[in-house]
């Protein structure tokens, strides 16, 4: 009888303890930053009703939704009117649920369902996995975590400025020093569509130019041609791709290009408003860039949009987001504006790993290992173990008597920085032997002094 080797689905991964410890370090930096800016935690189910997700991500996004087959002989009722038209009272349905594609749409659904219990503006952060039926490749997985922060119930452009500040603070704290926060405005893209003679086609324009970095300018032009854009419109678009310079250079050029577009002027006004708030703060490491070709293909964005790229690593964007004015309206609550962004933890992890930026302390859980030579030393060590843990020091006692070499190898493998050696001499004198695994130095100290030193 043959047995298949165990495996996991493509695009998913197991995470061993060493990896989880590093991921938790990233989560802790993100979580503390979100909370510093006043965001509250929220969790939503892994599954959503398919109707909640469909139509929120554009045609291409909808194709990547992981639908869940109804299990068993699942039947659903049909209305009396349907019966009159010849349908049977019960009909089979293949799928009515799906794994969540992102955290923003479930958040909008939550806001609508709990509108009477929420104090607006409502600021929430959410750290949970999402699923996409995408082709797996480096930096792109079918199951991955997102870390979202959104605020709904205000139009204030201070929120956009604080998104840039949070992106900058998290990535700077993680040790990155060469990254760019790119921003644009969907109003500018609508104005560009108008200016090139493709009025009302901004959605198709955004989907195409969102791929500019991946497929190049010629392929984008070809896709626009296939979508029905005229050759004149595509020709008029080429100078837009050539726009260069810093923010101060670009804004006057865009003023001229979009002088006859109300949507374009709205976008420029919002950008200037956001930048005026940003001037009151100090940006740590980020380079801030206005990129008029930044589109972010998700169909629900209506205002400023953001994306973060690490410049010294070959990797896609590690963060992105934007303002959406109509998302809750799709669920019956119109007129509630929101803005938010998400960190892609899996990509951030790969970047930190490649650049060797995980600090040593972020890879350690146990601070002290107490040795175990025999039954007598083990019994003596139990109150010591209790005292160390009571002092807030993560400690474990090797569970069985073993040779010192084996116990030291265990400490090395787990990156435990200290080993407390307790043998017959230590039990007799009361001075315990504390070994620093990084330097190899040892100190013979009473327990009180060891506690004081480790707590520092």
């Amino acid at each position: 009888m043959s047995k298949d080797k165990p495996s996991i689905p493509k695009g998913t991964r197991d995470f061993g303890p060493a990896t989880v410890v590093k991921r938790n370090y990233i989560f802790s930096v993100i979580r503390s930053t979100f909370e510093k800016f006043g965001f509250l935690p929220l969790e939503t189910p892994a599954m959503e009703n398919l109707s909640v997700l469909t139509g929120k991500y554009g045609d291409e996004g909808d194709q990547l939704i992981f639908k869940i087959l109804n299990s068993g002989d699942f039947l659903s009722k049909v209305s009396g009117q349907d019966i009159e038209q010849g349908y049977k009272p019960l009909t089979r349905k293949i799928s009515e649920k799906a794994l969540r594609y992102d955290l923003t749409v479930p958040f909008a659904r939550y806001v609508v369902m709990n509108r009477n219990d929420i104090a607006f503006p409502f600021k929430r952060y959410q750290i949970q996995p999402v699923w996409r039926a995408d082709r797996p490749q480096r930096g792109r997985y079918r199951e991955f975590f997102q870390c979202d922060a959104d605020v709904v119930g205000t139009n204030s452009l201070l929120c956009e400025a604080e998104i840039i500040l949070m992106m900058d603070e998290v990535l700077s704290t993680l040790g990155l020093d060469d990254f760019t926060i790119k921003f644009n405005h969907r109003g500018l893209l609508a104005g560009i569509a108008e200016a090139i003679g493709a009025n009302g086609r901004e959605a198709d324009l955004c989907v195409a130019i969102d791929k500019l970095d991946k497929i190049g300018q010629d392929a984008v032009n070809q896709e626009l041609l296939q979508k029905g854009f005229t050759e004149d419109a595509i020709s008029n678009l080429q100078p837009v791709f050539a726009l260069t310079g810093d923010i101060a250079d670009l804004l006057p050029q865009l003023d001229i290009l979009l002088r006859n577009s109300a949507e374009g002027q709205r976008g420029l006004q919002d950008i200037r408003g956001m930048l005026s708030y940003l001037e009151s703060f100090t940006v740590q490491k980020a380079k801030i860039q206005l990129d008029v070709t930044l589109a972010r293909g998700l169909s629900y964005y209506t205002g400023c949009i953001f994306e973060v790229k690490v410049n010294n690593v070959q990797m896609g964007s590690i963060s992105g987001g934007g303002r959406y004015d109509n998302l809750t309206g799709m669920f019956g609550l119109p007129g509630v504006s929101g803005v938010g962004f998400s960190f892609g933890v899996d990509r951030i992890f790969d970047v930190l790993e490649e650049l060797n930026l995980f600090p040593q302390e972020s890879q350690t859980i146990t601070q002290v290992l107490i040795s175990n030579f025999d039954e007598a030393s083990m019994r003596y060590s139990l109150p010591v173990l209790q005292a160390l843990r009571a002092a807030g020091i993560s400690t474990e006692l090797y569970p069985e008597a073993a040779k010192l070499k084996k116990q030291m190898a265990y400490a090395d493998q787990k990156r435990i920085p200290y080993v407390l050696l307790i043998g017959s001499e230590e039990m007799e004198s009361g001075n315990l032997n504390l070994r620093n695994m990084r330097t190899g130095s040892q100190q013979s100290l009473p327990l009180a002094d060891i506690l004081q030193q480790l707590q520092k």
Side-chain angles (χ1 to χ4, degrees):
M1 181 177 177
S2 63
K3 292 183 179 180
D4 293 333
K5 291 183 178 180
S7 63
I8 58 176
K10 289 183 178 179
T12 66
R13 294 155 298 162
D14 288 322
F15 298 113
T19 301
V20 172
V21 168
K22 292 178 179 178
R23 286 167 62 86
N24 286 343
Y25 163 68
I26 298 173
F27 290 141
S28 68
V29 171
I30 293 172
R31 184 179 289 107
S32 63
T33 302
F34 286 166
E35 292 181 354
K36 183 190 294 188
F37 280 73
F39 289 77
L40 298 172
L42 178 71
E43 292 187 359
T44 59
M47 293 184 296
E48 292 282 348
N49 288 323
L50 187 56
S51 58
V52 167
L53 303 179
T54 304
K56 310 305 188 301
Y57 307 107
D59 292 339
E60 292 191 10
D62 281 355
Q63 293 175 17
L64 301 181
I65 293 174
F66 259 117
K67 298 176 183 177
I68 300 173
L69 294 178
N70 289 327
S71 58
D73 192 19
F74 188 89
L75 301 173
S76 57
K77 293 183 179 180
V78 178
S79 68
Q81 184 179 357
D82 289 334
I83 294 173
E84 290 176 5
Q85 295 176 358
Y87 291 98
K88 295 179 181 179
L90 295 174
T91 183
R92 298 179 188 275
K93 290 194 175 181
I94 297 174
S95 175
E96 293 180 307
K97 298 179 289 296
L99 296 174
R100 59 172 172 253
Y101 178 92
D102 72 349
L103 299 178
T104 306
V105 170
F107 169 57
R109 187 265 308 153
Y110 174 88
V111 169
V112 173
M113 291 181 65
N114 297 274
R115 67 186 108 182
N116 296 325
D117 302 317
I118 290 175
F120 291 100
F122 180 49
K123 302 174 77 171
R124 84 83 172 86
Y125 75 86
Q126 197 167 343
I127 301 177
Q128 288 187 280
V130 298
W131 293 267
R132 297 184 184 177
D134 213 341
R135 175 181 294 178
Q137 54 186 285
R138 181 176 182 270
R140 188 182 295 274
Y141 308 101
R142 288 176 171 173
E143 178 186 60
F144 56 96
F145 265 79
Q146 284 188 339
C147 302
D148 280 22
D150 290 78
V151 53
V152 295
T154 175
N155 294 304
S156 173
L157 293 166
L158 174 62
C159 300
E160 275 84 342
E162 289 200 323
I163 282 178
I164 290 179
L165 293 173
M166 285 189 287
M167 289 174 166
D168 174 61
E169 178 161 332
V170 166
L171 299 178
S172 297
T173 302
L174 290 173
L176 295 171
D177 58 9
D178 187 9
F179 60 95
T180 301
I181 301 175
K182 298 181 179 183
F183 70 91
N184 198 9
H185 195 288
R186 293 300 280 257
L188 297 192
L189 293 164
I192 289 170
E194 196 175 340
I196 66 173
N199 193 20
R201 300 292 307 279
E202 62 267 19
D204 288 334
L205 179 65
C206 288
V207 170
I209 68 173
D210 189 41
K211 304 172 185 175
L212 186 62
D213 287 345
K214 301 172 187 173
I215 64 177
Q217 187 171 331
D218 291 341
V220 168
N221 292 336
Q222 189 61 34
E223 181 171 327
L224 289 171
L225 194 62
Q226 293 171 356
K227 287 179 178 290
F229 281 71
T230 66
E231 291 187 1
D232 284 344
I234 295 171
S235 176
N236 293 336
L237 179 63
Q238 303 316 297
V240 174
F241 291 144
L243 287 174
T244 57
D246 59 21
I247 297 171
D249 295 327
L250 286 171
L251 289 176
Q253 298 178 64
L254 291 168
D255 269 328
I256 296 171
L257 177 67
L258 305 175
R259 60 186 177 276
N260 296 321
S261 169
E263 273 293 284
Q265 289 300 314
R266 176 180 73 89
L268 288 170
Q269 183 178 352
D270 281 357
I271 286 172
R272 288 190 168 101
M274 177 190 73
L275 293 173
S276 71
Y277 285 119
L278 201 59
E279 288 173 358
S280 300
F281 300 94
T282 300
V283 176
Q284 298 179 46
K285 299 289 182 64
K287 302 175 181 68
I288 312 297
Q289 177 187 346
L290 171 57
D291 181 355
V292 295
T293 65
L294 176 63
R296 295 200 62 79
L298 297 182
S299 61
Y300 52 66
Y301 290 127
T302 57
C304 287
I305 50 178
F306 307 92
E307 195 164 274
V308 181
K309 293 285 184 71
V310 180
N311 300 319
N312 53 345
V313 173
Q314 290 297 316
M315 179 67 69
S317 64
I318 61 172
S319 181
R323 180 167 287 276
Y324 43 87
D325 288 334
N326 305 313
L327 201 59
T328 57
M330 298 179 184
F331 300 123
L333 184 62
V336 179
S337 182
V339 62
F341 75 108
S342 175
F343 284 113
V345 170
D346 298 282
R347 290 188 175 186
I348 292 175
F349 181 96
D350 290 344
V351 168
L352 296 184
E353 194 86 299
E354 182 170 334
L355 297 177
N356 196 28
L357 289 177
F358 283 106
Q360 185 69 36
E361 56 270 21
S362 76
Q363 303 174 48
T364 300
I365 294 294
T366 302
Q367 294 174 264
V368 179
L369 173 69
I370 302 176
S371 64
N372 185 346
F373 295 114
D374 51 35
E375 182 68 18
S377 68
M378 180 178 183
R379 292 291 178 183
Y380 183 94
S381 298
L382 293 177
V384 176
L385 175 65
Q386 173 68 18
L388 286 163
R389 289 176 175 169
I393 300 165
S394 301
T395 309
E396 57 181 288
L397 171 62
Y398 200 80
E400 57 191 30
K403 290 183 179 180
L404 180 60
K405 182 178 180 181
K406 182 177 181 181
Q407 297 184 55
M408 300 296 268
Y410 175 82
D412 267 336
Q413 190 172 9
K414 291 191 69 174
R415 298 177 181 267
I416 299 173
Y418 294 97
V419 173
L420 194 56
L421 301 168
I422 303 177
S424 57
E425 292 183 12
E426 286 77 19
M427 288 189 286
E428 185 176 341
S429 68
N431 287 336
L432 311 181
N433 205 336
L434 183 67
R435 180 181 178 87
N436 186 318
M437 294 295 288
R438 291 172 188 161
T439 65
S441 62
Q442 293 187 184
Q443 293 176 284
S444 182
L445 300 168
L447 178 58
D449 290 354
I450 290 172
L451 290 171
Q452 186 177 16
Q453 179 171 317
L454 292 175
Q455 284 177 314
K456 289 180 181 178

